[in-house]
Amino acid sequence: MFKPKIKVLNIYVILFIFLIAVLIWQILKITGGEYNNLSVEEMNYLKNKGKIIYGADINAPPLRYLDTEDGQYKGLVLDYLHALSLELGINIETKPFVWATALEKLSKGETDMCDMFESPERAKKYLFTKPIYNLRGTVAVLRNSNINDLKDIEGKKIALQKGDYTNEYFNQNYKDAKIFFVNDLREALNLLINKKVEVVAGDEPVLLYFINKMRLSDYIEILETPLYEKPVVFAVPKNKPELVSILNKGIEKINQKNVLEKIQQKWFGLSTTIIIRKDLNSRLKNFVLLLMLFFAIIVLFLGLLNYSLKKEVEIRTKEIEDGKNQLKTIIDGIEQMLFVVDEDLSIKEGNKKFKEYVLNNFFPHFNFNNIKLCDALSFLCKKNCDSCIFIKAINEPVKNHEIKVGDYIYLLNTYFLKENLDKKKILFIIDDITLRRLNEIQLLQANKMMAVGQLAAGVAHEIRNPLGIIRTYTYLLEQSGFNKEIFKKALEEINKAVQRADRIVNNLLNFSRISGENCEFVNLEKFIRDILEVLYTYIKRNNIIVEINNETKHDYLTNPDSLNHILTNIIKNAVDAMSDKGGTISIAIKDVDNGFKVYLKDTGKGIKKEHMEHIFNPFFTTKSPGKGTGLGLFITYTEIKKLNGSITIKSEENIGTEVEIFIPAKGREIRNGI
């Protein structure tokens, strides 16, 4: 269904706000004149004072500057002061100073006012009026410099006008900047063009004026982002608070007459609105007409609003109903069993899969109306309520909990829904993962058997070595005439050879068997050395040195079958990475609070950056056909996650790879002899 971007209701609201704004504006215009009149005390204050002395910067055109041609103090602010003088009926005498001197004179009370930015530091010395105009602080840099943004000016040499607000701003925001103070921005730009500084900061109109006046626009540019944009106010000494109220009333009168816009037009060429002032009676008449129109539109607005709201409710109700039906269709299409229960385990809702599973497999005539979860899923019940996972889920979420029932395996997850006023509700998701687990086991075993096939040649060579020893000493026994000393030595060597062959065969069988789920206490160093013995010929043939650094003091309770497959795959990958040039594999084992970590570092060819995000994907391999299936790291990652562990791999091409494996242990004990 087509929906307009701007609804009728929104148009009504905008119209209503507009009318309110116009009404407030008219009221302020009518009442503003009386509010801005000076009191008798204020007029006496000005009469006794005789004049107000304004002192400010001598060289900040076009805001204020001393014209060298006629010796007159000119600028936008001076024109504003002239208008203010007329409004207040008092002479405002202007005195130009170097900016730092102007601030000093004001703080001592030798002058009465100066325009500036308000700041916490300046508030310690001065009182402030209402804003008179807005001003931006900007940054000038040499064109084609390496400074393109405000973040680039950190640590640079910066020229600032002494006493200017930029001094405080840079102290707060750019503490590493190297500040050079100058008397005015013309001096600062000269330092910049001579490359004695890298940045000049100051008021935007002053910077632009000097850049144009000095014909530097081809060499200097203003950064697009301003440092700040703040209102400029008049500051007066703290011992003259009466002057603040007087100046504020003059500022209000000037604002009503749009004097500032006219002054801006003169100095900056900005277009302004010409405002025609009407007499009080005319404005009152317009106000009454406006008020009558306002109330008439209010009545119309309320009627249209009521109609619009009614239509909107109908549309929203239909959308909610459609959305509810769509959501139900989506949830019913999910293959997992989803159902919602309250805190007393009464079933409130369930998707189609859940209902069909219970009805078809267990209770053909089951009624789902507020039936208890324990009755609906009695096939999952262990008959022990103290350890029931469903009861536990009422108080805390359950994540990835496996439930075994006969030959089936189910995965349980729970989530708290938004609580109602009376009872909270819990969403249960049960997934039959039996087939997935069988596929994982088959995939793992297939990968193991492929690895066994690759190791077969090396293992055969390893077994031939002890067989050769047995054959040699048997021959010596036959030739020695059963010499007692030779006989003893031969039996000792034959026994060692038989033990070595037996150990190699056992390690190979342990590796190739289907992974179980039983946990045993494992001596990590011995465990890794057994793996290295199976891979001995493969490692030796590739001219690789293996170093082991064992910092553990415990044997850990963990799944040895999973750990065997994890470490074998990681070590074999490291050997493959150095198969063309040899190298070193460094293995470190360390205790951590709730388990152990294994660090493996090789000096192989590393992994390309573009391959890093794919290394744990199934069937991803960079090896040539016949040398890799792309399942090694995928199964390694899967086995680690089954143990609730983690793996991190860092690699640089042509430098090597570092692998960090963390395995949480179910228990640990001090190793014998430690």
Side-chain angles (χ1 to χ4, degrees):
M1 182 174 60
F2 172 79
K3 297 180 182 178
K5 292 183 178 179
I6 302 178
K7 296 184 178 297
V8 175
L9 177 60
N10 295 336
I11 297 175
Y12 297 154
V13 171
I14 293 171
L15 179 60
F16 181 73
I17 293 173
F18 172 75
L19 290 171
I20 291 292
V22 171
L23 179 62
I24 293 173
W25 173 65
Q26 288 290 343
I27 292 173
L28 288 177
K29 285 190 67 176
I30 292 172
T31 60
E34 295 180 1
Y35 174 80
N36 292 326
N37 288 337
L38 296 178
S39 66
V40 175
E41 291 80 9
E42 289 170 340
M43 287 188 289
N44 289 334
Y45 175 87
L46 291 178
K47 182 178 179 181
N48 294 331
K49 190 166 181 57
K51 64 179 178 181
I52 298 174
I53 301 175
Y54 167 87
D57 195 356
I58 196 171
N59 194 21
L63 300 178
R64 34 185 152 44
Y65 68 99
L66 187 64
D67 194 332
T68 56
E69 293 182 4
D70 57 13
Q72 295 296 313
Y73 197 27
K74 300 178 178 179
L76 179 146
V77 179
L78 279 298
D79 286 354
Y80 189 95
L81 289 172
H82 179 69
L84 187 61
S85 173
L86 294 175
E87 290 295 339
L88 298 177
I90 189 171
N91 178 41
I92 298 179
E93 182 178 337
T94 59
K95 292 186 177 182
F97 302 102
V98 174
W99 180 247
T101 304
L103 296 180
E104 181 181 357
K105 295 278 187 184
L106 183 66
S107 63
K108 291 180 179 179
E110 296 178 15
T111 60
D112 298 313
M113 60 187 293
C114 179
D115 57 310
M116 63 179 68
F117 289 123
E118 183 178 353
S119 73
E121 188 65 28
R122 289 173 171 175
K124 297 175 183 177
K125 300 179 181 180
Y126 315 117
L127 301 174
F128 301 108
T129 68
K130 294 180 178 180
I132 52 178
Y133 60 93
N134 277 342
L135 196 61
R136 298 202 305 181
T138 55
V139 168
V141 297
L142 292 174
R143 291 189 181 274
N144 301 321
S145 68
N146 60 354
I147 302 174
N148 300 310
D149 198 275
L150 294 181
K151 63 184 179 182
D152 298 330
I153 67 178
E154 186 67 54
K156 297 294 190 295
K157 297 177 182 178
I158 302 174
L160 304 177
Q161 186 174 10
K162 186 177 181 181
D164 189 63
Y165 174 75
T166 52
N167 300 178
E168 294 182 38
Y169 184 86
F170 273 79
N171 285 336
Q172 293 173 3
N173 299 282
Y174 296 92
K175 299 185 183 299
D176 294 333
K178 302 169 185 176
I179 307 300
F180 291 76
F181 291 109
V182 295
N183 289 322
D184 56 53
L185 293 181
R186 177 191 290 272
E187 183 182 344
L189 291 173
N190 281 326
L191 291 177
L192 178 62
I193 204 69
N194 291 315
K195 298 186 178 179
K196 293 182 179 180
V197 297
E198 298 164 276
V199 175
V200 172
D203 297 336
E204 183 182 51
V206 181
L207 274 175
L208 290 172
Y209 179 91
F210 278 129
I211 289 172
N212 292 329
K213 188 74 173 179
M214 298 166 69
R215 299 181 180 179
L216 297 176
S217 56
D218 291 336
Y219 310 97
I220 295 176
E221 64 178 348
I222 300 291
L223 292 187
E224 182 177 349
T225 305
L227 284 171
Y228 50 80
E229 183 171 1
K230 291 170 62 67
V232 176
V233 299
F234 284 126
V236 302
K238 281 211 167 184
N239 61 354
K240 300 177 182 179
E242 304 90 342
L243 193 54
V244 174
S245 174
I246 293 171
L247 292 175
N248 279 339
K249 290 182 177 180
I251 292 169
E252 285 290 340
K253 288 185 177 182
I254 288 176
N255 289 343
Q256 290 176 14
K257 297 178 181 180
N258 297 324
V259 172
L260 181 60
E261 285 83 352
K262 298 172 184 176
I263 296 173
Q264 286 176 327
Q265 186 178 32
K266 171 184 174 181
W267 288 98
F268 298 108
L270 300 178
S271 60
T272 57
T273 302
I274 304 300
I275 299 175
I276 301 174
R277 303 184 68 214
K278 299 182 179 180
D279 58 48
L280 182 60
N281 292 331
S282 177
R283 283 190 290 171
L284 284 174
K285 180 180 178 181
N286 289 341
F287 174 70
V288 172
L289 291 175
L290 180 66
L291 194 60
M292 293 175 62
L293 177 62
F294 173 75
F295 282 113
I297 294 180
I298 284 290
V299 174
L300 177 62
F301 171 78
L302 292 175
L304 292 174
L305 180 62
N306 182 58
Y307 175 79
S308 178
L309 286 174
K310 182 178 178 181
K311 289 295 182 181
E312 192 73 17
V313 168
E314 293 176 357
I315 293 172
R316 294 299 181 189
T317 302
K318 187 176 186 307
E319 288 178 350
I320 291 172
E321 190 66 30
D322 292 343
K324 183 178 178 181
N325 293 334
Q326 292 175 5
L327 183 60
K328 186 177 185 305
T329 302
I330 293 171
I331 292 175
D332 283 341
I334 296 175
E335 286 299 314
Q336 289 82 13
M337 292 183 282
L338 277 71
F339 53 94
V340 176
V341 303
D342 58 22
E343 55 191 2
D344 64 359
L345 293 182
S346 295
I347 298 175
K348 297 300 182 182
E349 298 285 347
N351 71 340
K352 184 178 180 182
K353 182 71 175 181
F354 169 69
K355 293 179 180 179
E356 288 180 349
Y357 195 85
V358 175
L359 291 173
N360 295 340
N361 293 282
F362 303 100
F363 304 99
H365 305 292
F366 202 77
N367 185 355
F368 282 97
N369 293 329
N370 280 332
I371 199 69
K372 293 292 184 182
L373 177 63
C374 300
D375 296 330
L377 297 180
S378 58
F379 65 98
L380 297 177
C381 187
K382 302 293 184 181
K383 307 301 182 185
N384 183 1
C385 293
D386 293 336
S387 61
C388 179
I389 191 65
F390 299 111
I391 294 177
K392 177 184 176 182
I394 297 174
N395 300 314
E396 58 180 295
V398 176
K399 301 297 180 186
N400 298 322
H401 179 79
E402 292 189 6
I403 304 174
K404 294 183 180 180
V405 180
D407 295 331
Y408 293 90
I409 304 174
Y410 300 93
L411 185 67
L412 173 66
N413 285 283
T414 66
Y415 304 89
F416 288 143
L417 302 180
K418 187 175 181 180
E419 295 187 6
N420 295 325
L421 295 177
D422 51 352
K423 293 182 179 180
K424 64 182 177 183
K425 294 184 179 180
I426 306 102
L427 171 66
F428 284 78
I429 302 176
I430 297 179
D431 191 10
D432 185 349
I433 60 171
T434 308
L435 184 59
R436 187 194 309 171
R437 284 285 180 264
L438 289 174
N439 290 337
E440 289 177 359
I441 293 172
Q442 291 174 358
L443 187 62
L444 177 62
Q445 187 62 15
N447 190 63
K448 282 187 176 184
M449 295 312 296
M450 180 171 292
V452 169
Q454 294 173 346
L455 297 173
V459 172
H461 176 75
E462 285 297 304
I463 293 177
R464 286 195 187 99
N465 286 339
L467 289 177
I469 293 172
I470 293 171
R471 184 183 300 110
T472 300
Y473 279 98
T474 302
Y475 176 77
L476 289 175
L477 285 176
E478 292 173 349
Q479 300 299 320
S480 66
F482 296 97
N483 179 285
K484 184 176 181 180
E485 184 176 346
I486 295 175
F487 185 78
K488 182 179 179 182
K489 176 66 175 176
L491 286 179
E492 183 179 338
E493 294 299 328
I494 289 171
N495 187 47
K496 289 181 181 179
V498 170
Q499 290 177 356
R500 175 169 172 74
D502 181 64
R503 189 164 60 252
I504 292 170
V505 172
N506 284 337
N507 286 339
L508 189 61
L509 290 174
N510 287 337
F511 175 69
S512 63
R513 72 186 181 187
I514 296 177
S515 296
E517 297 184 0
N518 297 325
C519 292
E520 301 174 8
F521 280 100
V522 174
N523 181 323
L524 293 175
E525 182 176 358
K526 181 179 181 301
F527 192 84
I528 291 174
R529 291 191 184 279
D530 287 343
I531 293 173
L532 293 173
E533 190 163 18
V534 174
L535 300 171
Y536 175 76
T537 301
Y538 188 50
I539 293 172
K540 183 178 180 181
R541 183 172 69 239
N542 289 290
N543 193 27
I544 294 169
I545 300 172
V546 181
E547 301 171 349
I548 299 179
N549 178 24
N550 183 13
E551 300 180 14
T552 64
K553 299 179 180 179
H554 301 86
D555 290 344
Y556 286 92
L557 183 62
T558 187
N559 186 323
D561 295 328
S562 293
L563 186 61
N564 189 346
H565 192 71
I566 292 166
L567 295 176
T568 299
N569 266 329
I570 295 298
I571 294 171
K572 192 171 180 299
N573 278 352
V575 174
D576 289 341
M578 298 183 288
S579 59
D580 56 344
K581 62 176 182 178
T584 302
I585 298 176
S586 301
I587 302 175
I589 317 164
K590 295 183 180 181
D591 290 321
V592 291
D593 290 341
N594 55 342
F596 59 88
K597 284 188 176 182
V598 178
Y599 301 87
L600 187 144
K601 182 177 181 180
D602 66 57
T603 58
K605 57 188 177 182
I607 305 171
K608 294 181 179 179
K609 288 184 179 180
E610 59 266 27
H611 293 160
M612 286 295 295
E613 60 181 306
H614 305 295
I615 57 176
F616 293 118
N617 293 347
F619 305 110
F620 176 78
T621 180
T622 58
K623 298 176 183 178
S624 56
K627 293 188 177 181
T629 62
L631 295 174
L633 281 178
F634 167 69
I635 295 176
T636 297
Y637 179 83
T638 302
E639 291 292 305
I640 290 174
K641 288 302 178 183
K642 283 170 60 178
L643 297 177
N644 294 320
S646 63
I647 179 172
T648 303
I649 297 180
K650 299 179 181 178
S651 185
E652 290 189 46
E653 198 170 355
N654 300 320
I655 294 178
T657 301
E658 296 182 25
V659 181
E660 176 186 320
I661 299 171
F662 164 68
I663 303 295
K666 296 185 177 180
R668 67 182 182 184
E669 60 183 17
I670 298 295
R671 190 182 308 118
N672 293 333
I674 299 298

